[in-house]
Amino acid sequence: MNGNVLKPRKIQSHKGDYGKVLAVSGSVGMAGAAVMCGRAAIRSGAGLVRFAVPKELFNILQICVPEATCLERDFENVIDINDYEAIALGSGLGLEKSNIPILKKVLNDYKGTLVLDADGLNCVMKYSLYGNLKASQADIILTPHMGEAARLLEVESIDIKDREKAAREIQEAFGTTVVMKGANTLVLTENKIYVNDTGNPGMATGGSGDVLTGIIASLAAQGYSGYEAAKIGVYIHGLAGDICAEEIGQIGMTAMDIADRVPEAFRRLASNSNDGRDK
Ligand SMILES: NC(=O)C1=CN([C@@H]2O[C@H](COP(=O)(O)OP(=O)(O)OC[C@H]3O[C@@H](n4cnc5c(N)ncnc54)[C@H](OP(=O)(O)O)[C@@H]3O)[C@@H](O)[C@H]2O)[C@@H](O)CC1
Ligand SMILES: Nc1ncnc2c1ncn2[C@@H]1O[C@H](COP(=O)(O)OP(=O)(O)O)[C@@H](O)[C@H]1O
Ligand SMILES: [Mg+2]
């Protein structure tokens, strides 16, 4: 990937120029997923990250991600979703029925870029919200691993040799950008496909996907299209994992290690350009 894909940060700018991400992530027992997602979004350059979480998570999030702010997850009364350029929805959300109003509100009313991951995807299937998903006006990126992809297609499992076909079926069924995760993650949109070549098996560790969701949402908040954010996001995520492998080794790298190498990954990508921009 050429570093020219990156938008330079302007000298005359402030945090409002780099977008706001709303992370509808985490639940009691899965606060970590929100931490990884929010941390990665900040490490990817968004101007502001805000969590929409149950109040029980405020303390842990404000300690683990002090740069971010928290709102109570009350979509009926409190949260104006269209204030955010990007929403990351689903990492560690849980499968409870109480998530239905959140999902409906975001799918029905949101017009920005929506990254739907993990339990966001699982809840769409569990509570039959695919009509809302298909009708949504948001620029949507689905980020399933192979298990989640099988659920989206309502099949038992997907053979690795059928991975691209399955990703294409999901893309066609929902009309969104699809990120089919795993070694050589695929990014598909209606008439394009990108095969990623960064990353390593050290990244097969809990929370690594939550980091990817945060990176993609952050890029989208900074003005990249959904497809561009997904493509650059998977490249940067894999490169951050490769930097972890160089520095730590594949065995024992953590999701947080990956999130914390994201700035260096951006620096390496930016230096791989030919426009003479500040590296
Ligand atoms: N610290 C935290 O708070 C963390 C919280 N997290 C949150 O946990 C929630 C559940 O998400 P999850 O992905 O862990 O479980 P789930 O979707 O039920 O998948 C398990 C099933 O799918 C299959 N499967 C999985 N990957 C596969 C693959 N690549 N290829 C093929 N199959 C694959 C797997 O198969 P098996 O492993 O048995 O072979 C099994 O059947 C979600 O909200 C997430 O965000 C996590 O992010 C971790 C850190
Ligand atoms: N063998 C691998 N090679 C490269 N990347 C991998 C490998 N295994 C997992 N990953 C990456 O790690 C992430 C795992 O995401 P996911 O399965 O959602 O984990 P979690 O839900 O625990 O955060 C994906 O981005 C995936 O592409
Ligand atoms: Mg996941």
Side-chain angles (χ1 to χ4, degrees):
M1 185 172 284
N2 192 295
N4 289 334
V5 296
L6 294 178
K7 294 178 195 291
R9 286 172 92 93
K10 296 198 185 75
I11 290 172
Q12 291 298 337
S13 61
H14 60 88
K15 66 176 185 256
D17 297 319
Y18 300 104
K20 295 184 289 298
V21 174
L22 184 67
V24 187
S25 324
S27 54
V28 174
M30 292 196 287
V35 172
M36 311 303 167
C37 177
R39 176 90 166 181
I42 289 164
R43 287 293 200 194
S44 302
L48 189 74
V49 175
R50 187 161 286 154
F51 293 110
V53 287
K55 236 184 175 157
E56 296 96 308
L57 264 57
F58 277 29
N59 280 350
I60 188 153
L61 291 178
Q62 299 207 296
I63 291 167
C64 294
V65 194
E67 301 86 352
T69 58
C70 292
L71 280 173
E72 192 168 3
R73 200 145 71 207
D74 177 352
F75 280 76
E76 246 77 60
N77 305 312
V78 179
I79 300 177
D80 191 349
I81 49 180
N82 282 303
D83 275 354
Y84 300 85
E85 287 82 1
I87 296 182
L89 196 162
S91 308
L93 187 70
L95 298 170
E96 291 74 23
K97 230 176 164 176
S98 55
N99 291 326
I100 296 174
I102 302 165
L103 270 151
K104 279 194 175 163
K105 171 133 180 158
V106 172
L107 293 174
N108 295 349
D109 298 349
Y110 187 56
K111 297 188 175 69
T113 304
L114 170 64
V115 188
L116 210 50
D117 181 37
D119 291 335
L121 302 170
N122 296 330
C123 283
V124 163
M125 298 313 289
K126 182 170 180 188
Y127 299 115
S128 305
L129 299 172
Y130 27 78
N132 306 65
L133 173 54
K134 277 194 253 182
S136 172
Q137 295 173 69
D139 185 358
I140 300 184
I141 304 147
L142 310 181
T143 62
H145 59 51
M146 290 271 276
E148 289 154 349
R151 279 171 227 145
L152 288 172
L153 292 174
E154 300 181 276
V155 296
E156 187 91 358
S157 62
I158 298 166
D159 196 281
I160 191 73
K161 70 173 178 359
D162 298 325
R163 197 169 73 121
E164 184 176 333
K165 184 168 155 274
R168 180 53 68 197
E169 279 171 21
I170 295 169
Q171 196 286 319
E172 284 170 0
F174 297 102
T176 64
T177 296
V178 174
V179 173
M180 179 70 111
K181 295 187 291 194
N184 299 112
T185 291
L186 306 173
V187 183
L188 294 89
T189 194
E190 195 178 350
N191 43 22
K192 286 181 245 172
I193 180 162
Y194 169 77
V195 183
N196 190 47
D197 63 0
T198 57
N200 64 80
M203 300 176 76
T205 180
S208 170
D210 309 328
V211 168
L212 177 66
T213 299
I215 296 172
I216 297 174
S218 183
L219 287 165
Q222 291 168 69
Y224 296 86
S225 71
Y227 179 67
E228 282 294 313
K231 221 168 76 167
I232 300 169
V234 298
Y235 179 88
I236 288 289
H237 180 248
L239 184 53
D242 290 341
I243 296 167
C244 286
E246 279 168 34
E247 290 182 9
I248 301 166
Q250 287 189 11
I251 300 171
M253 71 168 74
T254 68
M256 200 70 109
D257 292 331
I258 299 169
D260 286 342
R261 268 60 177 190
V262 164
E264 172 61 14
F266 275 110
R267 203 157 68 97
R268 289 196 192 180
L269 174 57
S271 70
N272 182 28
S273 68
N274 47 20
D275 65 358
R277 201 163 56 209
D278 180 23
K279 308 292 189 255

